[in-house]
Amino acid sequence: MGRRSDHTRDELEQLIIGAGHTLLAEVGYHRFSAREVAKRIGYSVGTIYNVFDSLDDLMLAINGRTFLIWAETIARSLQNAGLDRIALLVASYFDFATSNRNLWMAIYDHRLPAGVPLPDRYARQRGVLTDILRGEIAAVLPEDRRDLAPALARSLLATVHGHCVFALNGTFALLDERDPHGAALARVREALAAAGAHIAV
Amino acid sequence: MGRRSDHTRDELEQLIIGAGHTLLAEVGYHRFSAREVAKRIGYSVGTIYNVFDSLDDLMLAINGRTFLIWAETIARSLQNAGLDRIALLVASYFDFATSNRNLWMAIYDHRLPAGVPLPDRYARQRGVLTDILRGEIAAVLPEDRRDLAPALARSLLATVHGHCVFALNGTFALLDERDPHGAALARVREALAAAGAHIAV
DNA sequence: AGCATAAACTGAGCGGTGTTCAATAAAAAT
DNA sequence: ATTTTTATTGAACACCGCTCAGTTTATGCT
């Protein structure tokens, strides 16, 4: 066929990302395919490649959306948080990863060829989430140590991430760890305490 | 052709694992293929599948070998270690991962289908490495807290792992972190200090 | 209205993948 | 010498990412 124009270019892009997001959530990164996305929206493979340069490109768009949803989820749960906002952040991280297994893992399963840098757009979508973390960590640090916030936020993110990965990929099951979330929170508390943070517990 | 018997079954298995290991190191998980392994040892695809049930099976064998080499590397570097053995462990972790990027990442890139448990053989190969860690951590804990060692070892492994993943997958580059190894070591020291460990620094 | 241009969309085709299994060839046993 | 067992093959199947000549439709122009 030819021009159909049921959708504008932007709508089509969003349609693809949406269907891709759903497919990814259902089957996971390594069973994801452009052909299946096309089938689901009633277009042919070629159309996917007219809108996106490559599958890498599409994956970045889908993962970018996951990041936005993730940031939104965490922001919302922070709104009705108690005093211990840090504990809530850790819990949110685990919660999102666990209840969106495939989407969350795809973020880290997908990698660009060596040397290709992440596009700015994607970097910004990721930034939304890390900005929230940095803000919350800065808030619990004493004023004279606020400058530690960026580095500490990165490091604690990595700490929680490590526990979360091991929880989801079976490593912790192998090691008989039954409370990954608790362990992560304990490490975060120790690090914050060492930095002089004042946390309500 | 038919029976060639240049190799016994076991030799052939080791030949495949060896060539697979090399290929994996060269091209990484997502460009790894059974056909290429076969080509490199002068056999055809079918032979790979006579020796291994599936590619998952072969990947486990290869990753298992990586674990053994990793454990050996760490054990050797512990032999001529100074007083701060914990710092050396963290450094070794980063060092192995960085200088064996593809092999190390493949351990975590490869995942069995949901529900399929890791075979015992593989679990044991992994165990060698974690046993070393648990021993070293127990050694720096006061006697009356030695029982914390297993849980703490798991958690610190996850902590260092998280930092290492972010260092290798570009997340830390995105977040302007320039000393992942230093950050990981700082977190480990804080956690050990909180557990009452006595470390030579 | 008719026609030319531009845009959207297709899907067969290319070279790859994991996996299977009838056929085959050589060694071992009889 | 003949049968049996074993090791090995590679074409075939259904999938993959990706391309691009070709088709269809909408739009602009006279």
Side-chain angles (χ1 to χ4, degrees):
Chain A
M1 302 137 222
R3 183 187 190 111
R4 283 208 308 220
S5 91
D6 335 353
H7 307 99
T8 68
R9 180 85 173 196
D10 275 4
E11 281 169 354
L12 185 50
E13 187 177 323
Q14 291 307 311
L15 195 65
I16 295 173
I17 297 178
H21 205 256
T22 307
L23 176 61
L24 187 60
E26 284 174 17
V27 307
Y29 178 72
H30 103 230
R31 295 197 193 289
F32 181 89
S33 92
R35 277 181 167 92
E36 179 63 23
V37 173
K39 193 184 293 178
R40 289 186 177 208
I41 58 173
Y43 281 81
S44 79
V45 225
T47 298
I48 305 280
Y49 286 90
N50 289 340
V51 177
F52 293 93
D53 287 349
S54 64
L55 207 74
D56 277 344
D57 215 33
L58 173 55
M59 279 306 307
L60 284 177
I62 294 174
N63 284 342
R65 171 168 292 192
T66 303
F67 261 110
L68 290 183
I69 295 174
W70 191 5
E72 220 173 86
T73 306
I74 287 196
R76 204 175 16 250
S77 74
L78 275 173
Q79 271 169 7
N80 40 313
L83 285 176
D84 193 351
R85 296 168 71 86
I86 297 295
L88 187 133
L89 276 180
V90 175
S92 280
Y93 198 102
F94 270 82
D95 196 51
F96 186 87
T98 323
S99 45
N100 300 276
R101 236 182 171 273
N102 285 335
L103 291 174
W104 185 80
M105 290 187 119
I107 291 173
Y108 304 101
D109 284 342
H110 178 244
R111 241 156 285 143
L112 293 178
V116 179
L118 292 166
D120 273 11
R121 189 163 172 279
Y122 180 72
R124 259 180 280 115
Q125 286 168 325
R126 269 189 105 140
V128 175
L129 187 54
T130 46
D131 283 352
I132 295 178
L133 297 184
R134 201 182 41 240
E136 295 293 330
I137 290 195
V140 297
L141 290 178
E143 279 101 15
D144 60 318
R145 299 216 187 151
R146 286 272 155 85
D147 55 317
L148 296 177
L152 200 50
R154 292 191 293 257
S155 181
L156 293 185
L157 183 63
T159 300
V160 175
H161 179 82
H163 285 75
C164 206
V165 173
F166 277 7
L168 293 195
N169 75 5
T171 301
F172 269 155
L174 221 61
L175 302 179
D176 260 325
E177 174 61 67
R178 266 167 279 176
D179 184 20
H181 168 214
L185 184 55
R187 300 291 85 72
V188 168
R189 288 224 160 98
E190 288 159 1
L192 286 174
H198 39 77
I199 320 175
V201 188
Chain B
M1 300 141 223
R3 183 189 190 107
R4 278 206 313 217
S5 89
D6 330 356
H7 307 98
T8 69
R9 180 88 175 194
D10 274 3
E11 279 170 357
L12 186 51
E13 184 176 324
Q14 291 307 311
L15 195 65
I16 295 173
I17 296 178
H21 205 257
T22 308
L23 176 61
L24 187 60
E26 283 175 20
V27 306
Y29 178 71
H30 102 231
R31 295 198 194 288
F32 180 89
S33 93
R35 275 184 171 86
E36 180 62 25
V37 173
K39 194 184 294 177
R40 290 185 176 210
I41 59 171
Y43 280 80
S44 78
V45 226
T47 298
I48 305 280
Y49 285 89
N50 289 340
V51 178
F52 294 93
D53 286 348
S54 65
L55 207 74
D56 277 342
D57 214 35
L58 173 55
M59 279 305 308
L60 284 178
I62 295 174
N63 284 341
R65 172 169 291 193
T66 303
F67 260 110
L68 290 184
I69 295 173
W70 192 4
E72 219 173 87
T73 307
I74 287 198
R76 201 172 22 246
S77 73
L78 275 173
Q79 271 169 8
N80 41 314
L83 285 175
D84 193 351
R85 297 168 71 88
I86 297 295
L88 187 133
L89 276 180
V90 175
S92 279
Y93 198 102
F94 269 83
D95 195 52
F96 185 86
T98 325
S99 46
N100 300 277
R101 241 184 167 273
N102 285 335
L103 290 175
W104 186 81
M105 290 187 119
I107 290 172
Y108 304 101
D109 285 343
H110 178 244
R111 240 156 286 140
L112 292 178
V116 180
L118 292 167
D120 272 13
R121 191 164 170 279
Y122 180 72
R124 257 180 281 115
Q125 286 168 325
R126 272 189 103 141
V128 176
L129 186 54
T130 46
D131 283 352
I132 295 178
L133 297 185
R134 203 185 33 242
E136 294 294 328
I137 291 199
V140 296
L141 289 178
E143 279 101 14
D144 58 321
R145 297 215 189 155
R146 288 272 156 87
D147 53 320
L148 294 179
L152 198 51
R154 293 191 293 256
S155 182
L156 293 185
L157 182 64
T159 300
V160 175
H161 179 82
H163 285 76
C164 204
V165 173
F166 277 6
L168 294 195
N169 76 4
T171 301
F172 269 154
L174 220 62
L175 300 179
D176 261 324
E177 174 63 65
R178 266 167 280 177
D179 183 20
H181 168 214
L185 183 55
R187 300 292 84 74
V188 168
R189 288 222 161 96
E190 287 158 1
L192 286 175
H198 39 79
I199 320 177
V201 188

